[in-house]
Amino acid sequence: MKNSAKKDTAELQDRTDSGKGFLNRRVLLRGALLSAGVAAAGAGITKADDGVGASAPEWMKTPGRPFSAYGTPSKWQEKVQRIFTIAPGRAGTGVSRTPLHLLEGTLTPGGLHFERHHNGVPDIDPARHELLIHGMVKRPLAFSLDALLRYPMETHLRFIECSGNSGILNQPQAAQMTAGELNGLLSGSEWTGVRLSTLLSEAGVTSEAKWIIAEGGDAAAMSRSIPLEKCMDDAMIVFYQNGEAIRPEQGYPMRLLLPGFEGNMNVKWLRRLNVTNAPVNARDETSHYTELMPGGKARQFMFAQAAKSVILKPSFGMNLKEPGLYEISGLAWSGAGRVKKVEVSADGGKTWKVAPLTEPVLPKALTRFRLPWNWDGKPSTLMSRATDETGDVQPTRADWISQFAPGQGYHFNGIQCWRVEADGTVKHVYV
Amino acid sequence: MKNSAKKDTAELQDRTDSGKGFLNRRVLLRGALLSAGVAAAGAGITKADDGVGASAPEWMKTPGRPFSAYGTPSKWQEKVQRIFTIAPGRAGTGVSRTPLHLLEGTLTPGGLHFERHHNGVPDIDPARHELLIHGMVKRPLAFSLDALLRYPMETHLRFIECSGNSGILNQPQAAQMTAGELNGLLSGSEWTGVRLSTLLSEAGVTSEAKWIIAEGGDAAAMSRSIPLEKCMDDAMIVFYQNGEAIRPEQGYPMRLLLPGFEGNMNVKWLRRLNVTNAPVNARDETSHYTELMPGGKARQFMFAQAAKSVILKPSFGMNLKEPGLYEISGLAWSGAGRVKKVEVSADGGKTWKVAPLTEPVLPKALTRFRLPWNWDGKPSTLMSRATDETGDVQPTRADWISQFAPGQGYHFNGIQCWRVEADGTVKHVYV
C-alpha cells in the first residue's frame, strides 16, 4: 500500500496545473484521491474489515421519531443560523445575515434568507392586503391577493444582495470574520409571481410617466424610486419563494422583485406603486445607499449590483487539518446578467485558473464555482475573480476603494482574499 | 369603459386558440386581462381613487416583529402542511405527502418534502456516523462525514417520487381528493453531494461485481439492490438539500440519490454499500414495489419513474368563482431525462395544446408548465400529457391499467383529469 500510495501521489502531482495545486477534473474521476489526498493523511477514512456493518449503532435499535407536518433542520445543525451583529429578538431597524460558509449549492433556505428591516416584520392579513397602482395611470386600481394570483405566473432563480453587503472591507484592517459575517447580506431563491409590466398594462401608464415609487406596508413605510424602464422589463410582484408562500421576513404576502438591483429596492410587504415623472428622494435613497465620492458629492441611484464572487470553502474559521485534497468552492453573481467566468488564484493573484461553474448558469442568480486543490502545506493566498457576460470584471479591493471618498462602503465588489498559513489556519487578509 | 371592455373581450376571443379558451402569451402582454378576464367579473380588483394609499392599515402603525435566527412560514399559511392519511405524531411505517396544489414554482421546501419511513426517523449523531463500502472491493473503507465532505461536490435539481405515488388511481371510482393527496409522494430539491462513482473508485470495485446493496441506518435497516451501472453513472451521496444540511426526514446526515429511480431506492440515513454480484431480494424489493402482471407473475426491479404530469391549478378543492381568465399550471417530470413537451386539453382529450415550460428544463427534475385559459363557464375536462426526451408519452389511465393485474398500483403514470362543472366546482374524474 505504501508504494502504491507514493506512486499515486507522484501521478497526482504530474497532473496538477501550474504548480499551484489545482487539479484537473479528469484526475478526480480516476480514483487517485484516497492515496494522494484524503486517506493518506488519515482524515476520517479507515480500512474496514468486510462484514463490519453487522454492528448496528444504537439509533438502529429503537423506532425513530414520528412523521411531522412541517419539518425543521436536524438538532445537530442548530448552529446554522442567521448571523446577527445585534442580539436576535430586537425589533426596529437592522440586519441579519445568511451563514453562506455553512451552506452548499446555490439556494438559500427560506429560514436563512438574510433580513433587512427598517421597523420590524409586519403581520399582514393576506385577505385584507391590497396592492394599489395609482398616479400617472389611466385607471388607478387596487388588487386583492386573490386577484393577483389569477394572473399568469413566472418562476425564476434570482439573488438579492443588500448594497451594504461586504462594506466592512473598506476598513483599513481586514476584519477576522467568517465569509457569512462579511458577505451574508446575500441570498438566492426561486421566486414565483406576476410580471409587473402585466399589471401596469392593466392600469394603463400615461406617456409622461418615468418613475414608480414603491412603498412597503411596514411601520417604516419603506419607499424607493424605481425607473419605469426596469418596471416594464424583468420586474415582478412575487408571492412564492422556494416553492411556498413568501416568508414574513421576505415580504409576505408579496414583494417587489427587481432582478439584479440592490436589495433595498426590492420593496417587501408591497402595498403601493405610485407612477410619477420624478424620483421621490425617499430617506433610503438619500441618507442610505448612495456613494460618497472623493470630491464630496454623493452618487445616487446606482441600481445594479456589479460582478462579484467570494470563496466560501476554505474561509476564515474553517482551518485545514493537514496537507492534501480540498475543494475550493464559492459563489459568484452579477446584477447585469450571467456569470461568464470565475478565476481562482492560490498565490495572491500572480496566477489564475478558471474554475468550472455549476450548471445551469442563470442570469442574476447565484452561481457555484468549484475547483479541487491539493494543498502542499505551504502558506497560500486564495482569491476569486468573477467576470460577467457584459465583460464586467471584479476589481481588486484597492482599485475599488480608490474610486470613492474614505469610508464609502456601498456596492463593494472588490476581490477578497483568504490566507492559508502553514499550520492550516485561514485568515482574512488584504493583498 | 363598457364599450371598451366589450371590444377587448371580443379581441381576446379572436386570439383564443381552437375555441378551448387557451390564450396566446402575446395577448397577455398587451393588457387585455382586466376587461376580459379578471376585473370584468369583479374578482378582487377595484377602481381606486388616486391618493387612497394615505389610509394606512393597522400593521403600519406599530413596530413589527423582531429578527429571527431561523425563519418559519407565516402564521396565515398554517394549513400548508404535509398531508397524512394517518394522524401525524405516529412513528413506524407510513407516508406523508407534499401539498403540491398549494405550492408554486418547481422546488419543494425542505419542511414539506414528502416522507416515507419504515420505522421512524432515526436521530443520527453525524460525528459518529460512518459510510461503509465493502464486499467485492479491493479496499473495504469506512468514511466519516468530514472525510466525505472533502471530496469534490456537485449540485443538481432532481425530483424524488415514490413508486406508489398516484397508485389510488387504479381504483374503479375516482377519489375526490386534492392533487396533493393523490400525487404528493413527489418532491423536488436541489441536492449537493459527491458522485458515488468517485467513492467506488477509492474502494476499487472488482470485476465480478454487478450490484450494490444499499442499507439505511434506521431501525428498519431499509435495504435495496442497485445495479452497479447506475452507481457508476449519475448516482450521488448527498449531504445538502436546498442549500442546507439534508433534513432528518430526508436522510440526515446523508442519503443515496439515484436520479429518476423510484424513491425507495434513494436510501436514507445511508450507512452501508455492499458490493455484490447479485441482488439481495430485500423485503422492499419483493413484498413492495413490484408490479403484479395479468398472468399472476410479478415484475421486479422496475427502477426508473416514467414520463408523467399533473395539473395542480385548477384541481379538486380549488373551485372557480366565475368565468374568465385562469392559469392552468402543473408539474411534469420523467426519470429518463428531460421533459420535452406537455400538452393540455380542456375538452377531455379531443384536442390538445402545447403548454410553455418554465426554463431551464433540467433532466430528472420537476418542470412547471403553464397555460393561460379563458374559461367560458361551460363544463370542461382538463388533462395534461407529458412526453420526455426519449419519446416516452404519458398513457391514458385505461391504457396504463390494462397492462397489469387488477389492483396493481406501483409506477402509475396515467393521465389524470379534472372536471370543471358549470358552477365552477372542480372534480376528479376518469374519462
Side-chain angles (χ1 to χ4, degrees):
Chain A
M1 270 300 289
K2 271 198 176 168
N3 280 344
S4 156
K6 202 179 277 178
K7 181 172 157 279
D8 285 356
T9 306
E11 193 179 22
L12 193 69
Q13 294 296 350
D14 283 352
R15 290 176 191 170
T16 294
D17 284 330
S18 72
K20 308 305 169 199
F22 298 128
L23 303 180
N24 292 317
R25 182 84 195 160
R26 162 176 62 81
V27 176
L28 295 174
L29 300 178
R30 293 193 191 169
L33 301 189
L34 180 63
S35 45
V38 179
I45 308 184
T46 50
K47 288 197 69 180
D49 289 331
D50 208 353
V52 74
S55 65
E58 76 263 21
W59 47 76
M60 294 182 74
K61 294 173 184 167
T62 53
R65 279 201 293 121
F67 294 79
S68 56
Y70 195 99
T72 53
S74 164
K75 71 176 191 196
W76 303 95
Q77 295 290 311
E78 64 183 4
K79 287 184 182 164
V80 182
Q81 293 192 350
R82 288 194 275 234
I83 302 162
F84 299 88
T85 42
I86 52 166
R90 182 170 171 261
T93 184
V95 298
S96 72
R97 290 175 168 83
T98 296
L100 297 170
H101 55 297
L102 303 178
L103 303 181
E104 257 294 352
T106 68
L107 283 170
T108 307
L112 296 173
H113 194 293
F114 83 86
E115 299 174 278
R116 171 75 177 101
H117 310 315
H118 296 77
N119 203 352
V121 181
D123 177 23
I124 298 179
D125 179 350
R128 291 170 53 215
H129 182 76
E130 282 188 332
L131 174 64
L132 177 68
I133 299 181
H134 67 139
M136 292 180 168
V137 295
K138 290 171 195 152
R139 297 178 285 205
L141 294 171
F143 297 85
S144 72
L145 177 60
D146 278 352
L148 291 171
L149 292 179
R150 279 180 58 184
Y151 281 89
M153 299 233 188
E154 294 184 16
T155 297
H156 298 283
L157 286 159
R158 305 290 195 199
F159 76 85
I160 296 182
E161 183 183 22
C162 178
S163 74
N165 195 31
S166 323
I168 195 172
L169 273 90
N170 72 0
Q171 294 186 354
Q173 301 297 323
Q176 295 310 312
M177 291 178 157
T178 65
E181 287 171 316
L182 294 171
N183 305 293
L185 296 175
L186 168 77
S187 305
S189 305
E190 187 198 72
W191 300 103
T192 297
V194 174
R195 283 258 178 174
L196 177 50
S197 60
T198 303
L199 303 180
L200 291 174
S201 297
E202 297 286 61
V205 173
T206 64
S207 57
E208 67 269 46
K210 290 195 180 115
W211 292 78
I212 291 188
I213 318 304
E215 182 185 278
D218 59 339
M222 223 291 298
S223 299
R224 286 296 305 259
S225 307
I226 324 283
L228 183 63
E229 189 182 11
K230 180 70 173 177
C231 297
M232 298 305 284
D233 181 21
D234 59 358
M236 295 175 70
I237 311 295
V238 292
F239 316 102
Y240 296 91
Q241 176 187 6
N242 295 347
E244 66 189 341
I246 193 169
R247 294 291 180 91
E249 305 94 292
Q250 302 314 318
Y252 185 85
M254 65 186 73
R255 85 180 296 168
L256 182 61
L257 185 75
L258 302 176
F261 275 25
E262 60 182 10
N264 179 253
M265 300 177 76
N266 297 261
V267 175
K268 300 191 285 192
W269 315 294
L270 185 71
R271 71 181 290 257
R272 194 144 71 114
L273 294 167
N274 185 7
V275 184
T276 70
N277 59 2
V280 73
N281 284 310
R283 184 186 51 212
D284 279 289
E285 55 203 32
T286 53
S287 73
H288 290 132
Y289 309 124
T290 60
E291 298 171 355
L292 192 61
M293 305 305 287
K297 288 198 174 177
R299 203 157 65 169
Q300 200 180 13
F301 300 132
M302 308 305 294
F303 300 127
Q305 298 295 104
K308 187 168 168 182
S309 67
V310 288
I311 291 173
L312 301 170
K313 286 195 313 188
S315 61
F316 175 81
M318 303 165 77
N319 300 335
L320 309 189
K321 282 185 192 165
E322 70 269 312
L325 177 89
Y326 292 89
E327 182 171 78
I328 297 173
S329 164
L331 292 171
W333 63 99
S334 168
R338 285 178 179 78
V339 172
K340 186 179 167 192
K341 184 172 67 171
V342 177
E343 297 156 292
V344 171
S345 174
D347 56 11
K350 286 192 206 87
T351 61
W352 297 87
K353 180 164 171 63
V354 173
L357 306 177
T358 292
E359 296 286 339
V361 177
L362 299 168
K364 306 175 187 180
L366 296 184
T367 299
R368 175 70 57 168
F369 62 91
R370 303 177 193 278
L371 194 59
W373 179 53
N374 193 31
W375 181 46
D376 60 8
K378 295 179 189 153
S380 306
T381 301
L382 303 178
M383 303 162 70
S384 66
R385 180 170 66 190
T387 303
D388 73 19
E389 63 183 341
T390 72
D392 188 24
V393 182
Q394 191 176 2
T396 65
R397 174 179 169 275
D399 283 350
W400 186 86
I401 284 183
S402 69
Q403 305 171 80
F404 302 106
Q408 138 58 17
Y410 289 114
H411 302 109
F412 180 89
N413 76 319
I415 292 171
Q416 300 180 37
C417 315
W418 304 112
R419 172 83 169 174
V420 181
E421 303 290 3
D423 66 356
T425 308
V426 183
K427 290 182 185 159
H428 180 211
V429 294
Y430 296 155
V431 294
Chain B
M1 270 303 291
K2 271 200 174 168
N3 280 344
S4 157
K6 200 179 278 178
K7 181 172 157 280
D8 285 354
T9 305
E11 193 178 22
L12 193 68
Q13 294 296 348
D14 283 351
R15 292 177 190 168
T16 294
D17 284 329
S18 72
K20 307 305 169 199
F22 299 126
L23 303 181
N24 292 316
R25 180 85 195 160
R26 165 173 62 79
V27 176
L28 295 173
L29 302 177
R30 294 192 191 171
L33 301 189
L34 180 64
S35 46
V38 180
I45 308 184
T46 50
K47 288 197 70 178
D49 289 332
D50 207 351
V52 76
S55 63
E58 75 264 21
W59 45 77
M60 295 183 73
K61 293 173 184 166
T62 52
R65 278 202 296 121
F67 293 78
S68 55
Y70 196 99
T72 54
S74 164
K75 72 178 192 197
W76 303 96
Q77 295 291 310
E78 65 184 3
K79 288 184 183 164
V80 183
Q81 293 192 350
R82 287 193 277 233
I83 303 162
F84 299 86
T85 41
I86 53 167
R90 181 171 171 261
T93 184
V95 297
S96 74
R97 291 174 167 82
T98 296
L100 296 170
H101 55 295
L102 303 178
L103 304 181
E104 257 293 351
T106 68
L107 284 170
T108 308
L112 296 172
H113 195 292
F114 83 85
E115 298 174 279
R116 172 75 177 99
H117 310 315
H118 296 76
N119 203 351
V121 180
D123 177 22
I124 298 180
D125 179 350
R128 292 169 52 213
H129 182 76
E130 282 188 331
L131 174 63
L132 177 68
I133 300 182
H134 67 139
M136 293 180 169
V137 294
K138 290 174 196 152
R139 297 177 286 206
L141 294 171
F143 296 84
S144 72
L145 177 60
D146 279 351
L148 291 171
L149 293 178
R150 280 180 58 184
Y151 281 89
M153 299 232 188
E154 294 184 15
T155 297
H156 297 284
L157 286 160
R158 305 291 195 199
F159 76 83
I160 296 182
E161 182 183 22
C162 178
S163 74
N165 196 30
S166 323
I168 194 171
L169 274 90
N170 72 0
Q171 293 186 355
Q173 301 298 324
Q176 296 309 311
M177 290 178 159
T178 64
E181 287 171 317
L182 294 172
N183 305 292
L185 296 175
L186 168 77
S187 304
S189 305
E190 186 198 72
W191 300 102
T192 297
V194 174
R195 283 256 179 176
L196 177 51
S197 60
T198 303
L199 303 180
L200 292 174
S201 296
E202 297 286 60
V205 172
T206 62
S207 57
E208 66 268 45
K210 291 195 179 118
W211 292 79
I212 291 188
I213 317 305
E215 182 187 278
D218 60 337
M222 222 292 296
S223 300
R224 286 297 304 259
S225 307
I226 325 283
L228 183 63
E229 190 183 8
K230 180 69 173 179
C231 297
M232 298 305 285
D233 182 20
D234 59 357
M236 295 173 71
I237 311 295
V238 293
F239 316 102
Y240 296 92
Q241 176 186 8
N242 295 345
E244 66 188 343
I246 193 169
R247 294 290 181 89
E249 305 94 292
Q250 301 315 318
Y252 185 84
M254 65 186 73
R255 86 180 296 167
L256 182 60
L257 185 75
L258 301 176
F261 275 24
E262 62 182 7
N264 179 252
M265 300 177 75
N266 297 260
V267 175
K268 300 191 284 192
W269 315 294
L270 186 70
R271 70 181 290 259
R272 195 145 69 116
L273 296 168
N274 185 8
V275 183
T276 70
N277 59 2
V280 72
N281 284 310
R283 183 186 51 213
D284 279 290
E285 55 202 32
T286 54
S287 73
H288 290 134
Y289 308 125
T290 60
E291 298 170 355
L292 193 61
M293 305 305 289
K297 289 200 175 177
R299 201 157 65 171
Q300 201 179 10
F301 301 131
M302 308 305 294
F303 300 127
Q305 298 293 105
K308 187 167 169 183
S309 66
V310 287
I311 291 173
L312 301 170
K313 287 196 311 189
S315 61
F316 174 81
M318 303 164 76
N319 300 336
L320 309 189
K321 282 184 192 166
E322 70 269 313
L325 177 89
Y326 293 88
E327 181 171 78
I328 297 174
S329 165
L331 291 170
W333 64 99
S334 167
R338 285 179 178 78
V339 172
K340 186 179 166 192
K341 184 171 68 171
V342 177
E343 299 158 291
V344 172
S345 174
D347 57 10
K350 287 193 205 89
T351 62
W352 297 86
K353 181 165 171 62
V354 173
L357 306 178
T358 293
E359 295 287 338
V361 177
L362 299 168
K364 306 174 187 181
L366 297 183
T367 299
R368 174 71 58 169
F369 62 90
R370 304 175 191 280
L371 194 60
W373 179 52
N374 193 31
W375 180 47
D376 60 7
K378 294 179 188 153
S380 307
T381 301
L382 303 178
M383 303 163 69
S384 66
R385 178 170 66 189
T387 303
D388 72 20
E389 61 183 342
T390 72
D392 188 25
V393 181
Q394 189 176 3
T396 65
R397 175 181 168 275
D399 283 350
W400 186 87
I401 284 182
S402 69
Q403 305 171 80
F404 302 105
Q408 138 57 18
Y410 289 114
H411 302 110
F412 180 89
N413 75 320
I415 292 171
Q416 300 181 39
C417 315
W418 304 113
R419 173 82 170 176
V420 182
E421 302 290 4
D423 66 359
T425 308
V426 182
K427 290 182 186 159
H428 180 211
V429 295
Y430 297 154
V431 293

